[in-house]
Amino acid sequence: MSADLHADIADVADVVCLGESMVTFVPSSPGRLADVPAFSRGIGGAESNVACSLARVGHTARWISRVGADGFGDHLVAEIAAAGVDVSYVRRDPDRPTGIYFRTAGERALTEEDEGKLSEVVYYRAGSAASAMSPRLVPRERAWSGRVLHLTGITAALSDDCHTLMRELTTRAPGRPLLSFDVNYRTALWRGQDSGRLLDLARGCDLVFVGEDEAVAAWGLRGADAVRGALPEPAVLVVKQGSAGATAYARQPNGGDVVTFEPALDVDVVASVGAGDAFAAGFLSGTLRGLSVAARLRHGHLMAAAALTVPGDLGTPPSRERADGLVALDAGAWGTLRFGPGWTDTGTPGTVRAEVPHP
């Protein structure tokens, strides 16, 4: 590492998140994109969502990306910084634009058969500033400047340069931080590409998140055990099982796994976008704090409940004190919880059942 680059590396963050963020436009009223008269502006990006959520619960988080030298880039950087995230390694590209996308409410399609049945999502990200990320433009020393580096499969699909960067960052080498990887399979991004590359990247990581539905769509793998069979390398594999819950496989020093399942919470869903990112942030927060795998899963479910009960990508997480109190409930009490809009904003149960304690 050169002396100049060393001087440019800030203090080690808890988590570094690298990937594209875009300005998102959400319809002001229900309906097809063709019929919606107006949109509200927000931000969306799997990796920056994780960074913002972690910063809001007291961790130091850094986001690395490239945005255009345009107003949308200004907006993205300002909004993510306002959440408490370090954006000092974000670079502006004078020749390429910031990506944007338009969506309706609802779930994203994971298969071509589902497209048109679920939410509409239209991306304008081809040739974006973030798609130019490469090992030359993103020095490994910056990406490895945290206790954890969090990546997603979205980045690998943006361009050949991005895929090359992902391969370099996930290569096991001295000085590499704990490598967290969320598969985040997107049908539209991988059309015409080999989604098996996602499996190869995941095999190089220490902590991997994947949804059961994603594993079927991307690799034809059915069931959590089948996913673990295809991904034995990560020390921890978390298989998200939708409204049922999530299963974690944690490899033991003497071989074999401890398998932990935690049921999901009962949530009055406003929009599902961003829930997976929030879950990853909750699990990472528990990992950074050295909590048990079961507690990490529960923190993931709580963060997801915060995202599910708001219309945008980012919900307001519960305070650490309140989250710890809920995570400590016995299985019976955990199973009685129900969350609705406003449960974290007001500090009162809101539309949550009365069984929810407030520390």
Side-chain angles (χ1 to χ4, degrees):
M1 186 188 308
S2 71
D4 289 343
L5 183 56
H6 187 275
D8 190 39
I9 300 298
D11 292 337
V12 173
D14 287 335
V15 179
V16 171
C17 300
L18 182 150
E20 180 173 35
S21 291
M22 295 179 290
V23 172
T24 176
F25 292 91
V26 181
S28 57
S29 58
R32 303 183 310 147
L33 290 179
D35 302 326
V36 173
F39 297 81
S40 60
R41 183 184 65 176
I43 64 171
E47 301 85 1
S48 61
N49 286 347
V50 171
C52 289
S53 295
L54 285 167
R56 287 173 173 173
V57 294
H59 297 286
T60 55
R62 179 174 297 133
W63 173 53
I64 297 178
S65 191
R66 294 177 67 84
V67 299
D70 50 34
F72 288 143
D74 294 342
H75 177 66
L76 273 175
V77 173
E79 287 293 300
I80 294 169
V85 176
D86 176 4
V87 296
S88 59
Y89 291 168
V90 177
R91 295 294 177 256
R92 310 303 291 266
D93 191 322
D95 302 316
R96 298 175 180 85
T98 303
I100 63 173
Y101 74 101
F102 295 78
R103 70 171 174 84
T104 57
E107 298 181 15
R108 291 187 176 97
L110 281 175
T111 66
E112 292 187 7
E113 290 75 17
D114 286 336
E115 292 191 62
K117 301 177 185 177
L118 301 175
S119 67
E120 290 181 85
V121 181
V122 180
Y123 295 104
Y124 295 91
R125 73 195 313 175
S128 68
S131 71
M133 288 190 295
S134 68
R136 181 179 65 84
L137 295 177
V138 183
R140 189 172 71 176
E141 291 83 356
R142 291 181 184 166
W144 285 8
S145 63
R147 295 168 57 194
V148 176
L149 171 61
H150 180 71
L151 305 170
T152 82
I154 293 172
T155 306
L158 296 181
S159 67
D160 288 341
D161 280 343
C162 282
H163 181 243
T164 300
L165 173 64
M166 293 283 284
R167 283 191 305 171
E168 175 169 311
L169 295 180
T170 56
T171 298
R172 299 185 188 278
R176 194 185 86 163
L178 187 146
L179 214 302
S180 168
F181 182 74
D182 191 340
V183 170
N184 242 320
Y185 178 71
R186 296 285 182 267
T187 305
L189 287 176
W190 285 97
R191 188 175 290 115
Q193 300 191 64
D194 178 13
S195 59
R197 295 194 300 181
L198 283 171
L199 203 57
D200 293 336
L201 290 171
R203 287 175 174 144
C205 299
D206 305 302
L207 166 60
V208 172
F209 301 93
V210 60
E212 272 193 327
D213 51 356
E214 293 178 304
V216 173
W219 309 316
L221 298 171
R222 297 185 180 276
D225 288 346
V227 179
R228 184 51 160 173
L231 282 171
E233 297 86 354
V236 178
L237 171 70
V238 179
V239 181
K240 298 174 290 183
Q241 296 161 295
S243 59
T247 298
Y249 297 79
R251 190 172 61 241
Q252 299 304 292
N254 58 351
D257 285 324
V258 171
V259 182
T260 306
F261 173 79
E262 282 293 332
L265 295 160
D266 189 357
V267 179
D268 297 332
V269 177
V270 173
S272 60
V273 178
D277 305 329
F279 179 92
F283 193 93
L284 284 170
S285 177
T287 300
L288 287 162
R289 297 171 61 198
L291 304 183
S292 69
V293 172
R296 298 175 201 182
L297 288 169
R298 285 193 172 189
H299 276 284
H301 288 319
L302 285 169
M303 291 278 254
L308 288 166
T309 49
V310 297
D313 282 34
L314 284 170
T316 300
S319 69
R320 182 175 293 187
E321 180 185 22
R322 190 178 190 199
D324 284 345
L326 294 172
V327 165
L329 293 173
D330 62 32
W334 178 263
T336 69
L337 302 179
R338 180 181 177 188
F339 297 87
W343 74 274
T344 62
D345 294 331
T346 62
T348 60
T351 58
V352 185
R353 289 190 184 128
E355 290 90 340
V356 177
H358 182 62

